[in-house]
Amino acid sequence: MHTWVQTLLKPEPVALMVVLILLVSLFSGMRRGASGSAKHLFFFIWQAATVVVSLLLAGRGAVYASPFVRDWLIDRGITVPKEDLSALKQFWFTAVTSLRDFDLLRFGVLFLLLYSVLRLLLHALEPFVFGLVDGVLARGRAGRGRMAESPLISGTASRTTGAMIGALLGGGRAFIVMACLFVYVSILPHAYGTDIIRASALYTKTASELLNPVAGDVLKQGPVFTEAVEAEFRHVLERKYDVIDAAIPPNIEEAAAAVTKNSSTDEQKARALYSWVGTRIAYDWDKADNYTEHGIWKEQTPTETFTTRKGVCIDVARLYAVMARSAGLEVRVVTGEGATGDGGYGPHAWNEVKLTDAGGEWIPLDATWASSGDWFNPDGFSKSHIRDA
């Protein structure tokens, strides 16, 4: 206890915050008295319990329901119409096909839905539960009133008991705050303020002695989980492009047919389209510089890229995907990082094509880089292109 008090009294941000929480709770408890503080303590415990129960049940329920939802969506045979879609339809098909194909997204949506329903049901029980608590506290106050010898003594005892309960309530609130800081630091170790939090002796002691033994093994996967969430989000963005670009304009369809007319295999078609896109679409340095220097991004469609004959990597990849689909190929836009030539990597996009007539192998290609060499399924492609996990 002595070492805990010492760490609590050190003048640093985390300790000062905890001391403030304890003092406010203590004085609030003194002001409310014994019965009022007891009611607030019960409310705090009830809220914490409902959150924990809802989280556990929602997690189990999402794990159980996820494969059934996936299979149900697959059985519906949902396909994106090859026509110009309204914004609402684009959102609908992006959401439905993403829920069908992306496990982490589907789990997250089911988890949030089940958690909300469980919290709503438990919230509906609160009037009944709190009514019982009020009845118990009222009987307790009546009994103490009959036994009290002096209103002054009774009031002092009530305020003292209230202060003790308030301090206990403050300890619970402070622990929750410390747990939130622990989760924040574990999942986002390089985020804003984490250095200040880790420098706190009180945080270090709480994390090492109370939180790490319970949650440390789980939260060691925090950065991995964060990266997985970011990758899943990018996959949803890729799916958005698939939906938006499902309709193939006649002029692009005609160009793809002309480019692949002498190709008999999937690889020959993919190679012919790679050569055509790679030699006819110039890199739009003005668009790239406008984004990197001013944060201004111009979204453009494959039709615009085809017409203007210029674009950045995502524009080239989207145009290639549309032309490849028009030629009967199964293709996807891939996002990740590409080598910059100075030993580093930067955001990049390219394509993968499925060779259905050659065993279903997916091969990578980068039409944006076609002017700098042969980037049609070369050896070592993965060394210069790191796709999102």
Side-chain angles (χ1 to χ4, degrees):
M1 179 62 71
H2 179 67
T3 58
W4 279 97
V5 172
Q6 282 184 321
T7 56
L8 187 62
L9 295 179
K10 290 183 178 180
E12 45 88 7
V14 174
L16 291 175
M17 178 179 60
V18 170
V19 169
L20 181 61
I21 292 172
L22 292 173
L23 289 176
V24 170
S25 298
L26 187 146
F27 285 114
S28 297
M30 186 182 299
R31 180 177 57 81
R32 296 189 191 102
S35 59
S37 297
K39 184 176 179 179
H40 275 75
L41 178 61
F42 177 81
F43 180 78
F44 174 80
I45 294 174
W46 169 266
Q47 289 292 322
T50 56
V51 168
V52 171
V53 169
S54 298
L55 288 173
L56 291 175
L57 292 179
R60 293 291 183 88
V63 170
Y64 177 78
S66 182
F68 292 101
V69 173
R70 178 199 61 209
D71 294 343
W72 184 80
L73 290 173
I74 291 174
D75 291 341
R76 300 283 74 77
I78 300 170
T79 56
V80 181
K82 297 186 181 302
E83 60 187 48
D84 289 328
L85 302 176
S86 65
L88 183 60
K89 286 185 177 180
Q90 288 176 8
F91 173 80
W92 166 255
F93 282 106
T94 300
V96 171
T97 57
S98 296
L99 286 173
R100 179 192 64 197
D101 298 336
F102 303 145
D103 293 338
L104 185 58
L105 174 67
R106 185 170 58 253
F107 171 84
V109 171
L110 289 172
F111 175 82
L112 292 176
L113 179 62
L114 290 173
Y115 177 78
S116 300
V117 171
L118 289 168
R119 286 302 307 275
L120 186 63
L121 292 175
L122 291 172
H123 180 71
L125 294 176
E126 287 184 1
F128 173 73
V129 175
F130 292 158
L132 291 178
V133 173
D134 282 337
V136 171
L137 292 175
R139 287 194 295 272
R141 286 195 297 270
R144 289 194 299 273
R146 289 191 296 269
M147 296 174 61
E149 298 179 359
S150 165
L152 179 60
I153 296 175
S154 176
T156 301
S158 177
R159 286 192 293 273
T160 303
T161 304
M164 294 172 60
I165 296 175
L168 180 63
L169 185 57
R173 289 169 176 162
F175 182 79
I176 288 179
V177 169
M178 297 296 283
C180 291
L181 294 178
F182 179 70
V183 173
Y184 177 68
V185 171
S186 299
I187 294 182
L188 302 170
H190 305 296
Y192 176 78
T194 53
D195 292 339
I196 297 174
I197 296 171
R198 279 192 290 261
S200 166
L202 179 62
Y203 170 80
T204 302
K205 189 171 181 63
T206 304
S208 61
E209 296 187 14
L210 299 179
L211 298 172
N212 238 342
V214 177
D217 290 340
V218 175
L219 289 177
K220 284 177 183 176
Q221 304 301 318
V224 177
F225 177 76
T226 303
E227 291 176 4
V229 172
E230 291 175 351
E232 195 86 331
F233 179 70
R234 285 189 286 266
H235 290 160
V236 174
L237 292 181
E238 293 170 11
R239 178 56 52 85
K240 181 195 73 170
Y241 291 135
D242 292 342
V243 173
I244 293 174
D245 300 339
I248 303 174
N251 57 341
I252 294 181
E253 189 172 17
E254 291 172 3
V259 171
T260 59
K261 65 180 180 180
N262 296 322
S263 303
S264 57
T265 66
D266 287 348
E267 185 172 3
Q268 289 174 351
K269 292 179 182 178
R271 165 71 81 168
L273 291 170
Y274 160 82
S275 298
W276 190 92
V277 173
T279 56
R280 283 166 176 77
I281 308 301
Y283 193 81
D284 192 344
W285 288 105
D286 291 336
K287 177 178 178 177
D289 292 340
N290 206 25
Y291 176 69
T292 56
E293 295 176 7
H294 306 291
I296 300 174
W297 173 255
K298 179 185 178 299
E299 189 77 47
Q300 69 186 57
T301 65
T303 299
E304 290 177 284
T305 306
F306 181 83
T307 302
T308 63
R309 292 293 198 267
K310 63 181 181 179
V312 294
C313 57
I314 186 64
D315 305 320
V316 175
R318 287 176 65 186
L319 175 60
Y320 182 91
V322 169
M323 297 186 73
R325 292 192 190 104
S326 175
L329 298 173
E330 188 173 346
V331 62
R332 54 195 178 202
V333 175
V334 181
T335 59
E337 293 187 327
T340 57
D342 58 0
Y345 289 84
H348 193 46
W350 59 94
N351 296 99
E352 288 181 349
V353 175
K354 185 177 182 179
L355 305 181
T356 305
D357 58 1
E361 176 189 5
W362 285 89
I363 62 170
L365 59 96
D366 188 346
T368 306
W369 288 6
S371 60
S372 64
D374 185 4
W375 290 98
F376 183 88
N377 193 27
D379 293 335
F381 187 92
S382 60
K383 294 180 180 179
S384 56
H385 295 70
I386 302 175
R387 65 174 299 152
D388 294 328

